[in-house]
C-alpha cells in the first residue's frame, strides 16, 4: 500500500512496492512527486535513474517486495530500497554488447555516494544526492 505523499515540511516518505516490473515506473513517479513537494525537482532526473536501477535489482535478484524510502536532509536526499534477501549486490563485468551488468556502475556514477547495510531480514541499498549534480 502506498503511503501518503510527503508534506512540504516533511523530511521523509516511504512506500511498500510489490515485486512486479510495474513497481519500477511507480517508484520513478513517486520520486518526482516527493521532490516536487520538497522543491528539489532539480534532482529528479538523476535520482529517478538510480531508483530505477536499485528497485529493478531488488525485484529481479532479491525476488521480493521492497520498501522504498526518501529522506530529505536540507538540500540533499537519501534514498533507500530495502528488500528481503541477504545477498548483497555485486558489480558485474559488462561488455559493450551486454544487456545487463551496468546497474551498480550507474548508481555509483549518478549518486554522491551509495552503499549497502544489512537488516535482520535482508538489506538496504542506499544512495545520496546532494544539491544539483550531473553524472
Amino acid at each position: 500500500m502506498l503511503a501518503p505523499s510527503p508534506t512540504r515540511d516533511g523530511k521523509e516518505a516511504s512506500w511498500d512496492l510489490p515485486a512486479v516490473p510495474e513497481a519500477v515506473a511507480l517508484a520513478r513517479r513517486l520520486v518526482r512527486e516527493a521532490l516536487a513537494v520538497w522543491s528539489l525537482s532539480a534532482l529528479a532526473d538523476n535520482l529517478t535513474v538510480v531508483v530505477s536501477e536499485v528497485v529493478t535489482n531488488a525485484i529481479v535478484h532479491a525476488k521480493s517486495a521492497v520498501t522504498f524510502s526518501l529522506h530529505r536532509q536540507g538540500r540533499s536526499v537519501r534514498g533507500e530500497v530495502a528488500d528481503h534477501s541477504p545477498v548483497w549486490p555485486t558489480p558485474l563485468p559488462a561488455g559493450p554488447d551486454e544487456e545487463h551488468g551496468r546497474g551498480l556502475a550507474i548508481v555509483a556514477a549518478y549518486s554522491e555516494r551509495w552503499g549497502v547495510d544489512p537488516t535482520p531480514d535482508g538489506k538496504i541499498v542506499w544512495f545520496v544526492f546532494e544539491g544539483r549534480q550531473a553524472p
Side-chain angles (χ1 to χ4, degrees):
M1 175 173 227
L2 296 179
S5 296
T7 62
R8 184 168 304 282
D9 294 335
K11 292 187 177 182
E12 65 181 60
S14 184
W15 305 270
D16 292 326
L17 303 176
V20 297
E22 296 81 12
V24 179
L26 176 58
R28 286 192 301 263
R29 190 191 81 205
L30 294 169
V31 165
R32 290 189 182 283
E33 289 174 2
L35 293 177
V37 169
W38 291 335
S39 300
L40 294 173
S41 292
L43 299 175
D45 289 342
N46 291 342
L47 212 145
T48 56
V49 169
V50 170
V51 167
S52 292
E53 293 298 332
V54 177
V55 171
T56 297
N57 282 349
I59 291 169
V60 170
H61 299 292
K63 296 177 177 39
S64 78
V66 301
T67 299
F68 168 50
S69 304
L70 293 175
H71 307 271
R72 184 181 65 141
Q73 302 163 337
R75 301 292 304 161
S76 299
V77 175
R78 176 182 166 113
E80 297 179 352
V81 176
D83 65 45
H84 302 290
S85 170
V87 180
W88 285 31
T90 321
L92 300 173
D97 296 327
E98 296 291 326
E99 188 174 323
H100 301 286
R102 292 179 185 78
L104 294 179
I106 290 170
V107 171
Y110 277 74
S111 58
E112 183 72 26
R113 58 191 177 280
W114 73 281
V116 184
D117 293 329
T119 65
D121 66 340
K123 66 183 168 300
I124 295 173
V125 177
W126 57 267
F127 42 90
V128 175
F129 283 75
E130 295 181 358
R132 297 178 187 258
Q133 96 174 42

